[in-house]
Amino acid sequence: MTSGPTLPAERTSLAWTRTGLAAATNGSLLLLRTLTGEASVLDRVLVVAAFAVAGVAVVLGQVRSRALVAGRRPGDRAPAVLGVLVAVLCLATVVVVPTGG
């Protein structure tokens, strides 16, 4: 009989899933903006980037959660990589959206 995920693994998975949902929400809002008005190429790139960051967050979260359940220490690069991706996405959104692309 195998036990369920440990509490740290559950917290890890939930935190990374929340980050993924936030990025997907950003992508959805950008997509809505793109569909309801004239969208530039940069607007479309931001939509794709937001959904890509969301996917990366969810996948990295699952990998880290499984490592914790297996008793291994997850790598240290993933949070930094995701942090940079989210920061770049936010900065690009702040620059592109107010200027209209």
Side-chain angles (χ1 to χ4, degrees), residues 70-96:
R72 296 185 318 265
R73 183 169 181 236
D76 292 333
R77 287 189 187 170
V81 168
L82 186 63
V84 168
L85 289 174
V86 169
V88 168
L89 177 64
C90 289
L91 181 62
T93 302
V94 166
V95 169
V96 171

Side-chain angles (χ1 to χ4, degrees), residues 5-32:
T6 62
L7 188 58
E10 288 179 22
R11 285 194 313 255
T12 295
S13 179
L14 287 172
W16 287 74
T17 300
R18 279 193 307 266
T19 302
L21 283 171
T25 301
N26 186 19
S28 298
L29 292 172
L30 290 168
L31 180 63
L32 181 64

Side-chain angles (χ1 to χ4, degrees), residues 29-76:
L29 292 172
L30 290 168
L31 180 63
L32 181 64
R33 179 178 184 269
T34 301
L35 295 175
T36 59
E38 290 186 29
S40 70
V41 173
L42 288 176
D43 289 326
R44 292 183 181 106
V45 168
L46 280 176
V47 170
V48 172
F51 285 112
V53 168
V56 167
V58 171
V59 168
L60 287 176
Q62 291 302 312
V63 169
R64 291 178 65 82
S65 179
R66 288 184 184 148
L68 288 171
V69 168
R72 296 185 318 265
R73 183 169 181 236
D76 292 333

